[in-house]
Amino acid sequence: MAGSWWSGAAVTHGLTAMFAMGSWVSVNSLWVELPVVVRKLPEGWNLPAYLSVLIAFGNLGPIAVTAMHHCAPGRLNERVAIHCIQALAVVASVFLAIFWSYKVPIAGLERSLPFLLLSFVLALVCCTSTVTFLPFMFRYPPEYIRTFFVGQGFSALFPCVVALGQGVSKLECKTVNGTVKPETLEESFPAQNFFWFLFVMLTLSALSFVALTRRKTESQQETSPPKRSNSAEAVKNGEETHRLYNGGTPVSEEQVRVEVEPAAPTFWTSRNIYLLALLAVSNALTNGVLPSVQSFSCLPYSNMTFHLSVVLGNIANPLACFLAMFVVLRSSAGLGFLSLAAGVFAAYLLALAALSPCPPLQGSIAGKALVVISWIVFTGLFSYLKVVVGTLLHEAGHAALLWCGISIQAGSLIGALTMFPLVNVYQVFVRAQDCVDVCS
């Protein structure tokens, strides 16, 4: 009885979601905890720029995996690779929780070298997980790839909820000598405790993967080829014998060879290229472009607007993935229309960021509601799109899921590299000042 429930589909879905949760939970946790650590580390608010560069260098992992698949096909053991990167992430999170605030003198200046090095290790793990976790999921039926994306949504949601409970970025406007000044409130618990939470999340993900690899699911048992009886073999042989004749005339050897050895279908069809392009663009916007300007689009309205956009957007992600478990849009035109609709909301949010610190409808409830709803719809539509594309590529084979991961990473990298100079070098976007109305 115990064995039957342990081999059930519900357990497999749960383990898959927990396994996928560990893919990007590290980088998401570093981002949401930045407002706390920047006040303790010598780099200050230059730290986000450093973190962006480290995440970009983390793409060395996917490049190495892709090169190995190209140079030595079939030689990479995905299961061993996943165990290794998960173990590396767990160890790095332990060291991060202990040494994150340590400083090292370099060229006469104090630098947070332990934090930066460990952030790079975690970024390397997250980037590499995209091109190892997804191909591993080819072992399971298509419905599990949707559960996988639900778990990836949790990797953003859980750190965000914990950070909100911690009280990250809570401000009070206090009047001192007739001047209104912002005062940051003390967090409910320190950053060290948050990083221990990250360790727990990564450990749960690693244990879930171990459980997945040490059990047989009902789906795997069902898809394993049944043993044929002698009568079945006889029928099959009879069918094959009759196929060799065409109206009583023997078929030539060339025709037999064509039938026995059909040409393998190519992956690089126009539809698959179209799906990969949609995936790259959606990830460029959701993982690179829009997150870089979220604070510029929301903070001019209020701190609460910013927090609601972050939290509700991260809730929309797994909910959209969950919807894709029941409704899969297979039409190419429908997917194009969906991405176009999400792109409209993305354009609106970019326009708000460009108009910061004085966007339209700034002082009205309608303006605040519109920006929050735009973030929810934008995140939900693109999250659904990514799950559907992943499901369709799952049907195209193992190599398709590898290219799925490569497209996700390439799009995310291009989006981040495009926005980095605009935000941090040329300062195209202007940040709103806390407790100060510069628009009236």
Side-chain angles (χ1 to χ4, degrees), residues 71-409:
C71 300
R75 298 295 297 274
L76 179 66
N77 188 322
E78 285 166 354
R79 183 177 299 184
V80 174
I82 292 172
H83 280 309
C84 290
I85 63 177
Q86 285 187 322
L88 183 62
V90 170
V91 172
S93 65
V94 171
F95 282 105
L96 184 67
I98 298 172
F99 299 110
W100 74 272
S101 60
Y102 279 58
K103 306 174 188 67
V104 177
I106 299 176
L109 297 173
E110 282 193 330
R111 295 294 181 191
S112 53
L113 187 61
F115 180 85
L116 294 174
L117 285 177
L118 293 168
S119 296
F120 168 71
V121 172
L122 292 172
L124 182 70
V125 167
C126 290
C127 294
T128 309
S129 71
T130 307
V131 292
T132 51
F133 287 19
L134 271 173
F136 174 81
M137 291 306 299
F138 182 67
R139 294 162 170 79
Y140 296 88
E143 59 265 23
Y144 290 101
I145 201 77
R146 298 163 211 161
T147 305
F148 179 87
F149 281 104
V150 172
Q152 278 200 334
F154 290 153
S155 73
L157 177 62
F158 290 162
C160 179
V161 171
V162 173
L164 284 175
Q166 185 186 17
V168 172
S169 299
K170 277 192 175 180
L171 294 172
E172 261 189 9
C173 298
K174 291 192 172 182
T175 304
V176 180
N177 298 327
T179 305
V180 179
K181 292 184 177 181
E183 182 178 315
T184 305
L185 301 179
E186 193 68 26
E187 291 80 26
S188 305
F189 52 86
Q192 184 177 24
N193 292 9
F194 183 89
F195 292 135
W196 281 119
F197 158 76
L198 172 61
F199 161 74
V200 172
M201 297 274 284
L202 290 170
T203 303
L204 285 174
S205 175
L207 292 176
S208 298
F209 180 68
V210 171
L212 275 176
T213 56
R214 291 185 177 273
R215 60 192 289 280
K216 291 190 76 174
T217 64
E218 288 179 350
S219 58
Q220 287 171 320
Q221 291 169 354
E222 290 169 3
T223 54
S224 61
K227 292 184 178 179
R228 295 180 179 268
S229 63
N230 292 335
S231 59
E233 285 288 343
V235 171
K236 177 178 180 293
N237 291 336
E239 288 174 354
E240 288 180 349
T241 303
H242 287 300
R243 275 195 209 110
L244 297 179
Y245 291 85
N246 184 13
T249 306
V251 179
S252 66
E253 288 185 15
E254 289 76 12
Q255 288 173 293
V256 171
R257 191 174 297 114
V258 168
E259 239 182 74
V260 174
E261 299 176 4
T266 178
F267 166 71
W268 295 106
T269 63
S270 58
R271 176 173 169 80
N272 287 343
I273 294 172
Y274 171 69
L275 293 177
L276 290 176
L278 284 181
L279 198 62
V281 171
S282 63
N283 279 276
L285 291 172
T286 56
N287 297 341
V289 176
L290 269 299
S292 301
V293 297
Q294 186 165 22
S295 59
F296 297 101
S297 67
C298 299
L299 283 176
Y301 291 94
S302 70
N303 245 330
M304 181 57 68
T305 303
F306 175 67
H307 287 305
L308 285 175
S309 299
V310 172
V311 175
L312 296 180
N314 284 327
I315 291 175
N317 185 344
L319 285 179
C321 298
F322 185 72
L323 174 64
M325 297 183 71
F326 306 98
V327 182
V328 178
L329 181 64
R330 295 179 173 272
S331 164
S332 297
L335 292 174
F337 177 78
L338 198 68
S339 60
L340 185 63
V344 170
F345 287 96
Y348 174 70
L349 293 171
L350 275 173
L352 292 183
L355 294 171
S356 175
C358 301
L361 303 174
Q362 185 177 12
S364 67
I365 296 177
K368 296 176 182 179
L370 195 55
V371 68
V372 172
I373 291 171
S374 296
W375 273 105
I376 293 171
V377 177
F378 159 76
T379 306
L381 289 179
F382 270 133
S383 297
Y384 177 82
L385 178 73
K386 286 187 276 187
V387 180
V388 171
V389 171
T391 301
L392 298 178
L393 290 175
H394 179 281
E395 298 169 0
H398 179 274
L401 285 182
L402 174 64
W403 283 107
C404 177
I406 293 171
S407 296
I408 290 172
Q409 279 308 113

Side-chain angles (χ1 to χ4, degrees), residues 31 60 95 211:
W31 278 118
L60 292 172
F95 282 105

